[in-house]
Amino acid sequence: MSEAINRTLDTVGPRLKRLRLHRDITLADLAEETGISTSTLSRLEAGLRRPTLEQLLPLARAYGVTLDELVEAPPTGDPRINLRPIPCSDGSVILPLTRRPGGIQAYKFILPTGSDDAEPDLRTHQGYDWVYVLNGTLRLVLGEHDLILGPGEAAEFDTRTPHWFGATGAGPVEYLSLIGKQGERAHVRAAPSHGPAE
């Protein structure tokens, strides 16, 4: 077992160097971001020093990869995702479908039956969104457009456009959403210039 661990740790240095060069980051920039000195980073990349967990955590965060990916650990454990529903005050439920740090995140949204004359609360934020309706009817207000999407229909848009999602009076709706890292940040209220939300 210790021999396998040693072999894994011996390959970390070259992988760290490849990641840094691929992202075009200098040792000085990486040192500033991680709090690890340039000399230590250089020794880690050269394989002259074995990384500790305290060093691997900030490096994984800086490169946007998991610890398993950073050390190229053999796959272990149960590959199933343990879904933990996030209940919201409006009765909707969000199910995170991915757990990989950085990059695109996938979510399943379940919205309770809505009101056909609901006043949309349009929001904007950085990023891009892609939605796909699984069941029910989704109302998507996107800028000046007031759209109704049924099962099997999809939409994609720049989230800097004021937008709002809601269920209709026909019943609850379930849809998938792929959102970039920026899209997970808090929304900023945006007032549309005109349209159905006025």
Side-chain angles (χ1 to χ4, degrees), residues 119-197:
E119 189 70 21
D121 179 18
L122 280 80
R123 311 267 179 140
T124 65
H125 53 86
Q126 292 293 318
Y128 206 77
D129 200 348
W130 179 89
V131 297
Y132 177 85
V133 180
L134 295 168
N135 293 301
T137 303
L138 178 68
R139 181 181 174 201
L140 167 60
V141 177
L142 183 60
E144 301 175 7
H145 304 284
D146 196 334
L147 308 168
I148 298 295
L149 303 175
E153 291 189 295
E156 58 179 331
F157 57 92
D158 185 321
T159 53
R160 289 173 297 184
T161 304
H163 60 281
W164 175 85
F165 300 101
T168 66
V173 62
E174 298 179 27
Y175 66 95
L176 299 177
S177 180
L178 298 180
I179 309 170
K181 185 177 180 181
Q182 294 168 317
E184 292 186 287
R185 297 179 183 163
H187 287 81
V188 179
R189 183 177 173 82
S193 54
H194 49 75

Side-chain angles (χ1 to χ4, degrees), residues 19-191:
L19 280 167
R20 183 175 61 79
L21 295 176
H22 179 71
R23 285 163 173 74
D24 198 24
I25 302 171
T26 66
L27 281 172
D29 290 339
L30 187 59
E32 186 177 332
E33 186 172 351
T34 61
I36 303 169
S37 71
T38 54
S39 59
T40 299
L41 289 170
S42 179
R43 288 197 299 274
L44 288 172
E45 288 186 358
L48 301 174
R49 182 171 177 172
R50 288 262 173 95
T52 64
L53 184 60
E54 289 78 16
Q55 293 163 338
L56 289 173
L57 286 171
L59 286 167
R61 191 165 39 250
Y63 290 132
V65 297
T66 64
L67 279 175
D68 282 354
E69 291 169 313
L70 194 61
V71 300
E72 210 169 74
T76 58
D78 193 333
R80 293 174 291 188
I81 297 172
N82 183 15
L83 299 178
R84 292 196 175 140
I86 303 168
C88 302
S89 58
D90 63 358
S92 61
V93 176
I94 303 170
L95 290 161
L97 300 177
T98 51
R99 56 185 175 192
R100 177 184 173 135
I104 300 294
Q105 301 295 322
Y107 297 90
K108 178 179 178 181
F109 288 82
I110 304 169
L111 307 183
T113 303
S115 170
D116 292 332
D117 57 357
E119 189 70 21
D121 179 18
L122 280 80
R123 311 267 179 140
T124 65
H125 53 86
Q126 292 293 318
Y128 206 77
D129 200 348
W130 179 89
V131 297
Y132 177 85
V133 180
L134 295 168
N135 293 301
T137 303
L138 178 68
R139 181 181 174 201
L140 167 60
V141 177
L142 183 60
E144 301 175 7
H145 304 284
D146 196 334
L147 308 168
I148 298 295
L149 303 175
E153 291 189 295
E156 58 179 331
F157 57 92
D158 185 321
T159 53
R160 289 173 297 184
T161 304
H163 60 281
W164 175 85
F165 300 101
T168 66
V173 62
E174 298 179 27
Y175 66 95
L176 299 177
S177 180
L178 298 180
I179 309 170
K181 185 177 180 181
Q182 294 168 317
E184 292 186 287
R185 297 179 183 163
H187 287 81
V188 179
R189 183 177 173 82

